[in-house]
Amino acid sequence: MSKLEAILSQEVEAEIRSLLEEAKARAESLRKEAEAKAEALLQGRKRALEAQFQAALRRAESAGELLLATARTQAKGEVLEAVKAKAEEALRALPGKPEWPEVLRKLAEEALSALPEPEALVSHPENLPHLEPLARERGLGLQADPGLRLGVRVLGKGGRTQVENALESRLERAWDALSSQVAQVLWG
């Protein structure tokens, strides 16, 4: 029996080795399959993360561009406001300049040409001496209005109609066109 035992033992051992080799091969196959799946999963996740990163980067760039455009627009607006403030400051300084009486007279003549039957000229009390010769020429009365420093108002017969010609209101009416021209000069 010992020979039989030895043969059986060898067959069992061979069977065990065969099963072990088969199990090792199957385990290796499963390991490779798992690695391939893990690699595919990893690559898929990597592509998804890269796509998310690119999308986030595009959103951040867009937000940055919008922020920059907003800042530029705001800065341009501030520059235009500063230009307007300087223009208003220059207008407020006009009454102290030697050419003011002539400017005031031209403003009055423009306003007078708009009314068929003018009755009186109205302006700031400091301006009335400059308007007196024109009022005498045209036979008009003079009236003071402390709020009308940089211009004149012409009153029609009976006071029902009036035309005002003041530098501040002219600047206000012309500012849209002027600011476009200033912007063109400054930023092209």
Side-chain angles (χ1 to χ4, degrees):
M1 249 224 68
S2 94
K3 216 175 187 185
L4 183 60
E5 265 181 28
I7 292 175
L8 279 175
S9 179
Q10 283 177 350
E11 282 182 15
V12 168
E13 281 180 23
E15 185 71 25
I16 289 173
R17 275 194 302 275
S18 171
L19 286 172
L20 189 57
E21 288 299 318
E22 202 177 293
K24 282 183 182 178
R26 179 79 177 128
E28 183 63 22
S29 171
L30 288 172
R31 185 188 64 78
K32 285 183 180 180
E33 189 179 316
E35 282 179 353
K37 284 181 181 178
E39 182 63 27
L41 184 60
L42 182 63
Q43 290 302 318
R45 293 284 170 108
K46 188 176 179 181
R47 283 191 300 275
L49 286 174
E50 181 64 27
Q52 286 176 348
F53 172 75
Q54 290 300 326
L57 184 60
R58 282 191 297 277
R59 284 192 304 273
E61 286 172 346
S62 291
E65 288 170 4
L66 180 62
L67 188 60
L68 180 61
T70 301
R72 281 185 179 147
T73 301
Q74 184 178 354
K76 286 178 180 181
E78 289 171 4
V79 168
L80 289 175
E81 284 302 313
V83 168
K84 185 178 182 184
K86 286 285 186 188
E88 289 169 340
E89 183 181 319
L91 289 178
R92 285 190 296 274
L94 269 177
K97 305 239 181 212
E99 62 269 13
W100 176 242
E102 184 59 30
V103 170
L104 190 62
R105 182 180 177 94
K106 285 182 181 177
L107 289 170
E109 288 173 347
E110 285 178 6
L112 285 167
S113 69
L115 271 181
E117 296 181 17
E119 189 173 87
L121 287 173
V122 181
S123 191
H124 190 275
E126 293 175 0
N127 293 334
L128 295 181
H130 303 303
L131 293 171
E132 202 171 306
L134 179 62
R136 258 195 323 269
E137 271 177 38
R138 304 275 184 107
L140 304 171
L142 283 175
Q143 296 177 16
D145 179 352
L148 192 56
R149 186 155 195 273
L150 297 176
V152 296
R153 184 178 310 117
V154 177
L155 299 178
K157 284 252 190 242
R160 288 184 297 223
T161 57
Q162 62 180 3
V163 172
E164 188 172 304
N165 194 9
L167 295 177
E168 303 104 324
S169 57
R170 288 177 78 151
L171 176 62
E172 229 17 80
R173 285 191 306 272
W175 182 246
D176 284 341
L178 288 173
S179 64
S180 295
Q181 292 173 358
V182 169
Q184 183 66 29
V185 168
L186 293 176
W187 301 293

